[in-house]
Amino acid sequence: MAGKNIYLIGFMGAGKTTVGKELAKKTGYVFIDLDEYIVEKTGETIPAIFEKHGEEEFRRLEKVSLAELTESGCIIATGGGIVESQESVSLMKEKGFTVYLESPFNTLYDRIKEDTNRPLTAQGAAALSARFNHRLPLYEQAEYTVHTEKLGVDEIVEMICRRYDG
């Protein structure tokens, strides 16, 4: 089974990595976490990239890294801000199937608020909520949305598999 890629998009804490790993097991596709790919490529942690080079440089690295991952048959868990680059959104739609893992902001914030590996959490709830609301219409352009809040990982994976046409 090696069709087009499946790109998991959504805000921080949406479960993209968790769902992506299980989806890869179910489909036999290769799983790639875009943030981990960037860490391996640069030799720096995400917080270090933000601290030394800023968010703009991280977004550039994200866009370049996404473009490098052109092999088909991959599940790619993207960073929450990938949708802010129209170039990246176009590439994902050209190369695969975009799935938005949707949850309400309060649920997501509860999951991420103490995660020190997420540099943007230091901004606090109000700033993150504004960022979430800014990105929401961008996420909603995905080809498929899964409302994940009351679902387990296996249920989410099943829903994606039923909808994905390879």
Side-chain angles (χ1 to χ4, degrees):
M1 183 174 194
K4 57 188 176 180
N5 293 335
I6 299 175
Y7 296 94
L8 301 175
I9 66 170
F11 202 67
M12 294 176 275
K16 299 178 297 285
T17 298
T18 302
V19 169
K21 287 177 179 176
E22 290 305 311
L23 189 56
K25 287 179 192 173
K26 175 94 175 163
T27 60
Y29 280 25
V30 172
F31 173 73
I32 300 168
D33 181 295
L34 195 57
D35 285 352
E36 289 177 13
Y37 181 85
I38 292 168
V39 168
E40 287 176 23
K41 180 178 166 175
T42 64
E44 296 183 289
T45 66
I46 301 299
I49 294 169
F50 269 76
E51 187 179 319
K52 291 180 188 174
H53 311 288
E55 183 177 357
E56 189 175 316
E57 174 61 9
F58 175 75
R59 297 295 168 211
R60 187 193 71 75
L61 288 168
E62 194 174 48
K63 186 169 41 173
V64 167
S65 296
L66 183 70
E68 290 172 357
L69 300 172
T70 57
E71 186 178 330
S72 60
C74 295
I75 309 291
I76 300 175
T78 66
I82 195 88
V83 294
E84 294 194 37
S85 163
Q86 186 53 52
E87 189 179 328
S88 293
V89 170
S90 296
L91 181 68
M92 289 187 292
K93 288 189 173 189
E94 175 192 328
K95 297 286 183 184
F97 180 63
T98 54
V99 178
Y100 170 36
L101 300 182
E102 184 274 332
S103 280
F105 176 75
N106 291 339
T107 300
L108 298 169
Y109 185 68
D110 283 344
R111 292 178 189 165
I112 66 169
K113 64 186 173 189
E114 295 178 17
D115 187 343
T116 58
N117 201 39
R118 297 176 190 273
L120 297 175
T121 57
Q123 296 177 349
L128 285 176
S129 179
R131 191 178 285 256
F132 173 83
N133 289 325
H134 167 75
R135 290 178 182 170
L136 195 55
L138 304 172
Y139 293 139
E140 291 172 341
Q141 293 177 28
E143 294 162 272
Y144 183 51
T145 297
V146 179
H147 303 282
T148 63
E149 187 175 34
K150 296 181 179 174
L151 299 174
V153 174
D154 290 341
E155 293 169 293
I156 297 166
V157 167
E158 283 303 319
M159 290 177 74
I160 295 169
C161 286
R162 281 197 301 268
R163 185 66 187 266
Y164 173 70
D165 63 8

